[in-house]
Amino acid sequence: MATRDWKHEYQLQKKRGEDKDQIERQRARRAYDKKGVERNGKDIDHITPMRKGGKSTPGNTRLRSRSSNRGDNK
């Protein structure tokens, strides 16, 4: 399996004008995928929300059911 050049991808995302929060969410998804964690049907929850300065570090993310996560984030 070929590896992706994430630095190049990040530069392309910035050129396309993608939001920093969107890029941060992708970072969390990649981290779980790299570990081989099955995340079908689940959301990645940021314990400290990104809107309050939370990052997509392993200590700040967890997998939760979609209904639980979205119920908390109203």
Side-chain angles (χ1 to χ4, degrees):
M1 184 167 116
T3 60
R4 292 180 70 174
D5 183 359
W6 296 111
K7 289 181 182 180
H8 177 69
E9 181 66 24
Y10 176 72
Q11 294 301 323
L12 292 175
Q13 287 174 319
K14 285 185 6 182
K15 284 183 183 178
R16 289 190 300 256
E18 291 186 24
D19 187 79
K20 285 184 181 182
D21 287 347
Q22 185 178 13
I23 295 170
E24 193 68 26
R25 285 184 189 93
Q26 287 175 343
R27 183 177 295 142
R29 286 191 293 269
R30 285 195 305 265
Y32 277 102
D33 291 344
K34 187 175 182 179
K35 291 180 186 177
V37 175
E38 181 63 40
R39 34 179 202 93
N40 284 340
K42 300 202 178 205
D43 280 354
I44 296 175
D45 178 40
H46 290 80
I47 298 166
T48 301
M50 291 179 7
R51 67 181 175 271
K52 292 184 180 178
K55 298 290 181 188
S56 292
T57 58
N60 191 42
T61 59
R62 60 184 173 184
L63 288 177
R64 294 182 73 196
S65 69
R66 288 183 178 166
S67 61
S68 295
N69 188 39
R70 294 179 184 181
D72 289 346
N73 294 328
K74 291 183 178 180

